[in-house]
Amino acid sequence: MEMGLKLSDLTTLRNWQLKHAANGGELFKTWSRLEWFVRQHRNTLLQQGVLIPQSGSRPTLVTSDFDNAVCEILLESAQR
């Protein structure tokens, strides 16, 4: 995890999706779309330090760089 990371840089994955959809985001209009994306790219997101999975009933967290990581993954996928 990034050393300069602050608690204020974290949000839950669910809140990230709700904000994305509320701002007119087209890619992850539904929770299930985002869940599928995270399952498919979990290792990459973990390696980049933007996904912080929790255990039990605690929600998964994402950093403020999650948006950039998603864009990078999508661009890389499009170039294949």
Side-chain angles (χ1 to χ4, degrees):
M1 191 180 305
E2 201 175 295
M3 292 303 290
L5 188 64
K6 296 180 278 182
L7 287 176
S8 60
D9 292 335
L10 301 175
T11 190
T12 65
L13 186 60
R14 173 67 90 173
N15 283 342
W16 185 92
Q17 186 272 326
L18 291 171
K19 183 178 175 184
H20 170 78
N23 288 327
E26 294 289 324
L27 295 175
F28 305 113
K29 284 184 178 182
T30 65
W31 174 244
S32 60
R33 286 184 183 184
L34 181 57
E35 280 185 312
W36 179 88
F37 180 86
V38 169
R39 274 195 311 272
Q40 297 301 308
H41 302 286
R42 181 180 175 87
N43 290 339
T44 302
L45 295 167
L46 288 171
Q47 288 172 352
Q48 291 184 9
V50 298
L51 182 71
I52 305 168
Q54 302 293 308
S55 60
S57 62
R58 292 180 293 189
T60 296
L61 300 173
V62 295
T63 71
S64 56
D65 288 333
F66 185 76
D67 293 43
N68 293 333
V70 169
C71 288
E72 286 176 20
I73 290 168
L74 293 172
L75 287 171
E76 192 175 291
S77 295
Q79 293 173 351
R80 290 185 202 157

